[in-house]
Amino acid sequence: MKCINLSSEEKLKEAAKSVFLRKGFAGTTARDIADAAGMNIALTNYYFRSKEKLFVEIFKDLFSLYCTNTVKILEKPIGLKEKIIEIIEEDYRMMKEEPTLVLFIMTEIHRDCENLLPELSKYKELLKGMFIDQIAEEVRKGSMRDIEVEHLMPIIIGSLQFVFVGKNMHMKMYSMSEGQFDNYTETHKNHVIGMVTNYLFQSA
Amino acid sequence: MKCINLSSEEKLKEAAKSVFLRKGFAGTTARDIADAAGMNIALTNYYFRSKEKLFVEIFKDLFSLYCTNTVKILEKPIGLKEKIIEIIEEDYRMMKEEPTLVLFIMTEIHRDCENLLPELSKYKELLKGMFIDQIAEEVRKGSMRDIEVEHLMPIIIGSLQFVFVGKNMHMKMYSMSEGQFDNYTETHKNHVIGMVTNYLFQSA
DNA sequence: TAAGATTTTAAATGTTTGTTTAAAATTTGT
DNA sequence: ACAAATTTTAAACAAACATTTAAAATCTTA
C-alpha cells in the first residue's frame, strides 16, 4: 500500500511554491528549494521526479489561484455592473495576498507557453459561457457600451494587475514603503472601479 | 590607441539584447548569446567582462527605450488631454515594435531591484517636474479629476501595457494569431484612450 | 612588409546545475 | 518485536554553466 508522508511532500511543495513565486522557474535551483524546505536535496526528485514536474504541479495551483475566484464571480447570477465591481475587488484581494502572483504567471507563460497551455484552455471555456450572453444582453438594452469580452477583461483587471506586476518599479519610482504600497493599491483599485464603470455604463 | 572593432561589439550586444528580451537574465546562457551572434563563446567576456555587466548595459538601453519617449511627451508644451493621448499612442507604438519589452523590464526589476535602481532614479525626477504642476493647474481649474501623478501614470499606461505583458496568455486565451493580436491591441488602445480621457476629463 | 596591437579561436578552468545512487534511518504491518 | 516498506541522507554523477587562458589569426601602422 502506498502511504506517502503527506507532511513532507506538502512541506516541500509549499517551500517550492514560495521560491518559484519569488525567483521564477529559471531563477530557482533545486538547492534553493531544498534549503527553503530545510530538507535534503534529493527529496524533490524522490517526491516529484524532477524540478520541472514539481513546477508544473505548482503552476497549476497558482494559475487556479489566479483565475478561479474571478471565474466564480463571472458565473454569479447578479447584474453586470455589480459583477465587474466584485471582480475588481476580488482581484485586489488576491493580489494583496500574493503580490508576485501575476508577474509569475505572465513570466512563466511567456517562457513556456506551449507546455503550460493545457492549464489555460481549462479557463478559456469558463470565461465565456453565460458572461458573454450577459454582455450581449446589456449591450442590446443599451445600458452598456458595446465591447467584446476580449477587451472587457483587460479593461477590468489590467490597470490594477499592472500595478502589482510593476510593484518593485512603482515602489522605487514613487519612494513607497510596503505599507504605503498597500494604501496606494487600494486607492488605485477605487480609481479603477470608478473609471471602468464610468466608461462601460456611462449612460446609466 | 584603443581601437575596438565596434562592428563585432555591437553585433554581440544586439544579439544579447534580443536573447535577454526573450529569455530574461536568468534564462539566458553565455552560449545562447554567442550562438545568436554567431560568434565565439569567449567574446562576451572579452568585450563586456561578464554576462552581468553586458546585461546591465543592455538593461539601461532598454529601460531608456521604455521611458524616454514618454518622458519627452511629458515635457511638451501642450494640453494635458492631448498629452495623455499622445503618451498612450506612443506607448502603443513602442510596444508594437518591442512586444516583450514591458514584461522584460518588470521581471528584471523584480529580480534585482537594488542593482538596477540607479537606472530608475534617473527617470524619477523627470516624471515629476512640470507635469505635476500641469496636473495641479488643471485640477484647480476644475477641468480635470483630482488625481495624483502616482495613480495617473498607471491609469494611463497600465491597461495597455498589461495586454502586452500577458501577450502569450491573451493570444492563447482568445485564440489569436500574431496578426489578430495586432488588431486586438490597436482596438484596445482606442478603448483605453476613450476610457481614460472620459474618466479624467468627464466634466469637459 | 614587418613589427606590434588587436581580435578571434579552441581548449580548459573550476563551479553550479539537476539528478541518481546506495546505504542509513525511520515507519509500517503482522 | 521483527521483517518489509518507506523515507531520508550523504555522496557522487554527468552535463551545463560563466569565465579564463594562451595561441592563432587578423588588422594597424610605420
Side-chain angles (χ1 to χ4, degrees):
Chain A
M1 196 211 301
K2 203 167 187 179
C3 185
I4 292 170
N5 179 353
L6 285 178
S7 168
S8 270
E9 187 177 340
E10 282 288 309
K11 198 162 64 177
L12 193 56
K13 193 170 166 180
E14 284 307 308
K17 188 183 287 185
S18 158
V19 180
F20 278 140
L21 264 172
R22 188 156 30 89
K23 314 220 279 177
F25 179 77
T28 298
T29 73
R31 279 158 188 85
D32 288 337
I33 296 171
D35 289 353
M39 297 170 86
N40 188 277
I41 173 77
L43 288 177
T44 291
N45 294 74
Y46 177 73
Y47 284 112
F48 302 97
R49 311 259 317 274
S50 75
K51 175 193 166 189
E52 194 177 356
K53 283 191 173 62
L54 170 56
F55 175 81
V56 171
E57 212 170 291
I58 286 171
F59 180 86
K60 282 181 188 173
D61 295 347
L62 291 175
F63 194 77
S64 170
L65 178 63
Y66 176 63
C67 290
T68 303
N69 288 343
T70 297
V71 168
K72 270 184 194 148
I73 295 169
L74 287 180
E75 289 165 343
K76 274 190 171 181
I78 55 176
L80 201 48
K81 187 173 179 178
E82 193 186 345
K83 195 178 276 194
I84 285 168
I85 292 171
E86 258 198 52
I87 289 173
I88 296 170
E89 296 279 3
E90 170 52 35
D91 224 45
Y92 170 68
R93 250 192 307 279
M94 180 263 298
M95 291 188 284
K96 194 175 181 181
E97 198 174 303
E98 208 63 82
T100 63
L101 178 60
V102 183
L103 181 57
F104 169 84
I105 298 285
M106 300 300 156
T107 303
E108 300 305 332
I109 288 182
H110 172 74
R111 178 184 60 84
D112 192 11
C113 192
E114 292 310 316
N115 196 30
L116 303 172
L117 170 65
E119 219 27 52
L120 236 159
S121 335
K122 273 173 41 182
Y123 296 90
K124 208 166 146 176
E125 304 308 317
L126 290 170
L127 183 62
K128 310 202 168 182
M130 64 175 280
F131 190 49
I132 282 196
D133 297 338
Q134 192 175 17
I135 295 169
E137 173 63 12
E138 295 273 351
V139 169
R140 196 195 55 77
K141 283 194 301 182
S143 55
M144 183 196 180
R145 182 183 295 270
D146 190 4
I147 190 170
E148 291 159 291
V149 68
E150 286 87 344
H151 293 285
L152 181 56
M153 288 308 294
I155 275 184
I156 294 174
I157 64 174
S159 180
L160 192 53
Q161 290 201 6
F162 174 76
V163 163
F164 281 90
V165 163
K167 181 182 179 189
N168 282 2
M169 191 184 71
H170 291 115
M171 282 179 65
K172 293 290 174 186
M173 189 71 92
Y174 304 121
S175 308
M176 284 186 273
S177 65
E178 285 283 341
Q180 287 172 318
F181 184 75
D182 282 351
N183 296 336
Y184 171 75
T185 52
E186 188 171 355
T187 302
H188 195 77
K189 177 208 71 183
N190 293 325
H191 273 302
V192 168
I193 289 175
M195 178 172 66
V196 168
T197 54
N198 203 32
Y199 182 65
L200 296 174
F201 308 101
Q202 198 163 22
S203 56
Chain B
M1 196 211 302
K2 203 167 188 181
C3 186
I4 292 170
N5 181 355
L6 284 178
S7 170
S8 272
E9 187 177 341
E10 282 288 309
K11 198 164 60 177
L12 192 57
K13 193 170 167 180
E14 284 307 308
K17 187 182 288 185
S18 158
V19 180
F20 278 140
L21 264 171
R22 188 156 30 90
K23 315 221 276 176
F25 179 77
T28 298
T29 72
R31 278 161 189 84
D32 288 337
I33 296 170
D35 289 353
M39 296 170 87
N40 188 278
I41 175 77
L43 288 178
T44 291
N45 294 72
Y46 176 74
Y47 283 112
F48 301 97
R49 309 259 317 275
S50 75
K51 176 192 165 189
E52 195 177 356
K53 283 190 173 62
L54 170 56
F55 175 81
V56 171
E57 211 169 292
I58 285 171
F59 180 86
K60 282 182 188 173
D61 294 348
L62 290 175
F63 194 78
S64 170
L65 179 62
Y66 176 62
C67 291
T68 303
N69 287 343
T70 297
V71 169
K72 270 185 195 149
I73 295 169
L74 287 180
E75 290 166 340
K76 274 189 171 182
I78 56 177
L80 202 46
K81 186 173 180 179
E82 192 187 346
K83 196 179 274 194
I84 286 168
I85 292 171
E86 257 198 54
I87 289 173
I88 296 171
E89 295 280 2
E90 169 53 34
D91 225 43
Y92 170 68
R93 247 193 309 277
M94 181 262 298
M95 291 188 284
K96 194 175 179 179
E97 196 174 305
E98 207 64 81
T100 65
L101 179 60
V102 183
L103 181 58
F104 169 84
I105 298 286
M106 299 301 157
T107 303
E108 300 305 333
I109 288 182
H110 171 74
R111 179 184 59 83
D112 191 12
C113 192
E114 292 311 315
N115 196 28
L116 303 172
L117 171 65
E119 219 27 52
L120 236 159
S121 338
K122 273 173 42 182
Y123 295 90
K124 209 167 145 176
E125 304 310 317
L126 290 171
L127 182 61
K128 310 201 168 184
M130 65 174 281
F131 190 49
I132 282 197
D133 297 338
Q134 191 174 16
I135 295 169
E137 173 64 11
E138 296 272 351
V139 170
R140 195 193 56 75
K141 283 194 300 181
S143 55
M144 183 196 180
R145 182 183 295 270
D146 190 4
I147 190 169
E148 291 160 291
V149 68
E150 286 88 343
H151 293 284
L152 180 56
M153 287 309 293
I155 274 184
I156 294 173
I157 64 175
S159 180
L160 192 54
Q161 290 200 6
F162 174 75
V163 163
F164 281 90
V165 163
K167 181 182 178 189
N168 283 2
M169 191 183 71
H170 291 115
M171 282 179 64
K172 293 291 174 186
M173 191 70 92
Y174 304 121
S175 308
M176 284 186 274
S177 65
E178 284 283 341
Q180 287 171 320
F181 184 75
D182 282 350
N183 295 337
Y184 171 75
T185 52
E186 187 170 357
T187 302
H188 195 77
K189 177 208 70 185
N190 292 324
H191 273 302
V192 168
I193 289 175
M195 178 172 67
V196 167
T197 54
N198 202 32
Y199 182 65
L200 296 174
F201 307 101
Q202 199 163 22
S203 56

